[in-house]
Amino acid sequence: MSEKRMVAKQAPRFEMDAVMPNKEFGKVSLEDIMKEDKWTVLFFYPMDFTFVCPTEITAMSDRYDEFEDLDAEVIGVSTDTIHTHKAWINTSRDDNGLGDLEYPLAADTNHQVSEDFGVLIEDEGVALRGLFIISPEGELMYSVVNHNNIGRDVDETLRVLQALQTGGLCPANWKPGQETLNV
């Protein structure tokens, strides 16, 4: 199976049903975020009520204000329904739930968005842990996909977002506040 390059191309457009931070049902779409001239941090996780997922989802929520300060919208996505998402959000963190979240959890129940972003495990109907950073112009700037046993690092996601926002050339181990390379 050959993979198609996605980075440095227009990101697949999406609109999905979601549970919003106020716990009401709504919709999220890339077009709407682009209209607000914001960055999009779109991350996929395998399924609700699992063990690694809540650590990532709550870690992203706990740091949401940092993403907001960088003009970025965060969206979490799995192939579960909005009803399952809401039940998980309404479960306390002490009971392996999510509790209140600062960003929407979207439901890719027809698996189209997971497939479009190349993270769908077809025979299981769940997504791999894929994380994508999309510019306000809709260009896919960053993509990382890893095995479902390993959670992601919020610090690294914020670092990459800030590096992309410099518009410059960032060397290895670049940290926010450091100079970019002069060419």
Side-chain angles (χ1 to χ4, degrees):
M1 181 173 98
S2 69
E3 301 262 340
K4 290 183 181 172
R5 175 180 65 83
M6 294 176 59
V7 173
K9 291 184 176 182
Q10 284 293 300
R13 299 303 192 255
F14 60 81
E15 180 177 271
M16 292 177 279
D17 291 330
V19 179
M20 307 310 277
N22 64 4
K23 299 186 182 180
E24 293 182 6
F25 297 134
K27 294 205 180 282
V28 292
S29 85
L30 182 56
E31 293 288 341
D32 287 347
I33 297 169
M34 289 169 59
K35 284 177 191 165
E36 295 177 20
D37 200 33
K38 291 188 175 186
W39 291 76
T40 303
V41 176
L42 180 70
F43 75 95
F44 293 83
Y45 64 95
M47 64 182 78
D48 295 347
F49 293 101
T50 54
F51 299 100
V52 176
C53 298
T55 65
E56 291 188 307
I57 294 167
T58 58
M60 293 285 269
S61 184
D62 292 347
R63 309 272 304 272
Y64 181 74
D65 59 334
E66 295 175 62
F67 288 100
E68 217 175 23
D69 289 346
L70 296 169
D71 288 326
E73 289 292 336
V74 176
I75 302 171
V77 183
S78 82
T79 57
D80 292 302
T81 68
I82 52 175
H83 303 287
T84 307
H85 287 346
K86 189 168 184 174
W88 201 23
I89 290 167
N90 285 330
T91 304
S92 78
R93 290 186 183 191
D94 293 339
D95 294 325
N96 197 39
L98 300 177
D100 292 341
L101 290 182
E102 299 295 323
Y103 59 85
L105 278 191
D108 182 27
T109 53
N110 67 4
H111 306 173
Q112 187 62 57
V113 181
S114 300
E115 187 176 307
D116 289 349
F117 280 85
V119 296
L120 182 65
I121 304 173
E122 293 87 353
D123 56 339
E124 295 178 31
V126 300
L128 288 165
R129 289 188 199 287
L131 185 137
F132 303 87
I133 298 177
I134 303 165
S135 76
E137 296 75 37
E139 183 180 352
L140 184 57
M141 305 290 287
Y142 179 78
S143 164
V144 62
V145 180
N146 55 275
H147 193 280
N148 282 338
N149 290 349
I150 302 159
R152 288 161 282 209
D153 185 324
V154 178
D155 287 330
E156 177 62 3
T157 303
L158 285 161
R159 184 191 78 84
V160 170
L161 177 59
Q162 290 172 79
L164 291 169
Q165 290 180 348
T166 69
L169 301 174
C170 297
N173 302 317
W174 178 90
K175 298 278 188 284
Q178 293 179 342
E179 291 295 316
T180 56
L181 298 175
N182 294 321
V183 181

